[in-house]
Amino acid sequence: MSGSLAFEHPWLLMLLPLALLPLLRRRRDTLAFPSTAWLPSDRIGRIIGWLWPLFAVLALASSIFALAQPGRPQTQVHRTGKGAEILVLLDRSRSMDDRMLPANWREIDPSLLLYHLGRGQQKAKVARELLSQFVARRPDDRFSLLYFSNRPLTVVPFTQHDPVMQAGIAAGAIGRGLADTDVGRALIAGIAQFDQRAYSGSRIMLLVSDGGANMDDEMMKRIRIGLARNRIALYWIYLRSYNSAMLDTTDPRWENAPEMALHRFFQTLKTPYRVYQAEDPESLSRAVADVERQQNLPLDFMEQIPRQDYSRVFVAIAAFSCAMLLAYRSMLLRSLP
């Protein structure tokens, strides 16, 4: 119980003087003898006679302390590690429930590709599994999770507690996604997560999505300024759907595709930007692994240490003292035979 000590109910400590009551002598516990000079010395009895009021005092005092609920107050501790502050923007639109291509999709006859596509794994499921492993391998990072479709939804604020983040990722498996995808609003919401946080090291916004966006000038300006203000690097893992645009294509047919428009906008950002195109689980795994290798820099942060309750310690002391008193009472001679 090192450190400062605080009580949830300090007014109960006013009852502590009652713990001295067992020290008062009571005549009804005294046995009358005409003479005790002939009795042998009883050192054990004398020691027990001194111990029982002490146990009684300890039982009462410990009970009062337990009721007052002592504990160490909530504190903040400065930590230094290696990693980053990573905000995950995970697309939860309906298209994320589509299937990914198999790893050897380039070798399959195009006429049979749709058949193999129907047997692949869901994009959202593969993304959740890889993100879960990614989080588990980075214990020093601070993570935040935000889902989005037609609007953003903050699931987990910044935390270093792995079970909380893992539960948030698992929650994405519930239900089906919505039809629309508004990447712009999701990016604005993600930037806002950093606004009230002191800069402590590397910052990443990890966008995991299979769709693009055609944003107006005002939206693009807000995103560009927000990323620069908070010094956030943007990583986009683009889960390309079958018959969707490839970001490195020069085919004029895809010139106005939303994915191409979003990629061109990201390339104009003043902050670092990296894009990973993934069509199958293997390429998605490689993309996540590369993100993990890129971000392993010194990171300073304040960890919130919750209040620690010491009431159980005093309850245990009181219970032990009561047990000793019961043992004493069982050996106590109440009257002469």
Side-chain angles (χ1 to χ4, degrees):
M1 292 185 292
S2 60
S4 59
L5 188 69
F7 294 88
E8 286 291 298
H9 308 291
W11 61 271
L12 287 173
L13 297 179
M14 297 175 62
L15 301 176
L16 278 177
L18 297 178
L20 300 177
L21 290 177
L23 299 179
L24 299 178
R25 291 183 176 274
R26 294 179 297 175
R27 294 184 60 85
R28 66 184 181 87
D29 292 334
T30 304
L31 296 178
F33 290 91
S35 176
T36 59
W38 59 274
L39 293 175
S41 177
D42 185 8
R43 293 182 179 179
I44 296 177
R46 188 177 297 111
I47 293 173
I48 293 175
W50 280 103
L51 284 180
W52 84 259
L54 294 180
F55 278 123
V57 170
L58 192 59
L60 288 172
S62 298
S63 299
I64 294 171
F65 273 110
L67 291 173
Q69 293 188 2
R72 186 184 62 191
Q74 177 177 291
T75 57
Q76 286 187 335
V77 179
H78 183 267
R79 304 288 192 195
T80 300
K82 281 191 174 182
E85 289 187 327
I86 302 176
L87 187 143
V88 180
L89 284 174
L90 187 55
D91 191 346
R92 196 58 190 91
S93 59
R94 188 172 300 169
S95 59
M96 289 290 287
D97 293 329
D98 294 341
R99 306 286 176 170
M100 300 193 78
L101 292 167
N104 61 338
W105 65 275
R106 291 181 176 86
E107 304 171 4
I108 298 175
D109 188 328
S111 62
L112 301 175
L113 195 56
L114 287 177
Y115 168 75
H116 289 278
L117 178 63
R119 302 176 63 183
Q121 300 182 65
Q122 283 187 338
K123 297 178 187 177
K125 182 176 183 296
V126 177
R128 287 194 304 270
E129 290 176 352
L130 290 174
L131 286 173
S132 177
Q133 298 169 16
F134 174 69
V135 171
R137 289 193 298 264
R138 299 180 68 90
D140 292 330
D141 288 351
R142 305 282 287 182
F143 282 99
S144 178
L145 177 62
L146 188 149
Y147 287 117
F148 71 95
S149 52
N150 61 341
R151 65 181 61 188
L153 173 64
T154 301
V155 179
V156 180
F158 275 104
T159 180
Q160 197 188 7
H161 299 289
D162 180 83
V164 177
M165 188 66 181
Q166 296 290 359
I169 293 173
I174 300 174
R176 294 181 60 84
L178 301 178
D180 299 327
T181 305
D182 194 334
V183 179
R185 290 181 63 182
L187 290 170
I188 292 295
I191 292 170
Q193 294 282 320
F194 292 95
D195 282 340
Q196 304 302 321
R197 297 181 61 81
Y199 186 80
S200 58
S202 180
R203 288 178 167 181
I204 305 173
M205 190 178 297
L206 181 60
L207 173 63
V208 183
S209 175
D210 64 347
N214 289 296
M215 294 179 285
D216 56 38
D217 292 340
E218 179 62 27
M219 178 69 75
M220 289 189 291
K221 180 180 178 181
R222 291 177 60 191
I223 293 172
R224 187 180 291 111
I225 293 175
L227 290 173
R229 180 181 66 247
N230 290 321
R231 293 180 278 181
I232 306 170
L234 179 61
Y235 285 40
W236 181 20
I237 298 180
Y238 169 49
L239 303 178
R240 192 179 78 87
S241 302
Y242 179 67
N243 282 338
S244 294
M246 298 185 69
L247 299 181
D248 56 354
T249 185
T250 57
D251 192 331
R253 292 181 304 168
W254 301 109
E255 181 67 22
N256 296 320
E259 295 83 4
M260 295 297 296
L262 187 63
H263 178 52
R264 286 195 298 268
F265 163 60
F266 286 162
Q267 289 177 318
T268 66
L269 297 173
K270 299 179 180 179
T271 50
Y273 164 62
R274 295 178 67 93
V275 63
Y276 301 90
Q277 182 171 284
E279 297 95 354
D280 52 73
E282 287 76 9
S283 58
L284 177 56
S285 178
R286 289 193 298 269
V288 173
D290 191 67
V291 173
E292 186 174 1
R293 286 191 298 270
Q294 292 292 325
Q295 296 296 329
N296 197 23
L297 303 175
L299 177 67
D300 295 328
F301 58 92
M302 299 299 293
E303 182 179 4
Q304 200 83 5
I305 306 298
R307 182 182 186 275
Q308 186 172 353
D309 191 5
Y310 296 143
S311 298
R312 292 184 179 180
V313 176
F314 290 99
V315 170
I317 294 173
F320 174 77
S321 300
C322 290
M324 293 297 99
L325 289 174
L326 288 174
Y328 166 78
R329 189 174 183 85
S330 67
M331 296 184 295
L332 188 65
L333 181 62
R334 286 295 176 182
S335 61
L336 291 174

